[in-house]
Amino acid sequence: MAAGLLLAAAVAVTGLLFFGMIFASDSCGTSAGTARFCDDSGAWMLVAMFGPTVALVAAVGTVVLGVVWARRPWTSLALAVLVYATGPALALFTVFG
């Protein structure tokens, strides 16, 4: 039950961040755009857009492996929250850092 609620919250956060990152490049070309995010390669833009999604998949994998192999559901759930938190943190740091 707790895993399902955390997964639903993570999917909602990922969806909102993905939607927001679509418009993050609007400030490129102005003084408000960050140099790292607005470079010509577009690599940081991909990191910002897909970082939370990749972190979500990694967090689900952490829970599954933790429950199946280690048989520690609460420990794997806590570790998965930390794994997932890196994705949105990386995306926000890329855009605003």
Side-chain angles (χ1 to χ4, degrees):
M1 180 73 176
L5 291 174
L6 286 173
L7 180 64
V11 168
V13 168
T14 300
L16 289 173
L17 277 174
F18 191 77
F19 181 73
M21 292 303 156
I22 291 172
F23 302 105
S25 64
D26 288 348
S27 64
C28 292
T30 65
S31 62
T34 60
R36 178 184 25 215
F37 185 70
C38 296
D39 68 349
D40 292 334
S41 69
W44 286 107
M45 190 175 296
L46 290 175
V47 168
M49 289 185 74
F50 295 113
T53 307
V54 171
L56 178 63
V57 172
V60 169
T62 302
V63 169
V64 169
L65 291 177
V67 170
V68 172
W69 285 350
R71 306 227 184 250
R72 304 260 187 220
W74 294 109
T75 306
S76 66
L77 206 57
L79 183 61
V81 168
L82 292 175
V83 167
Y84 174 70
T86 60
L90 180 64
L92 293 174
F93 176 74
T94 301
V95 174
F96 299 113

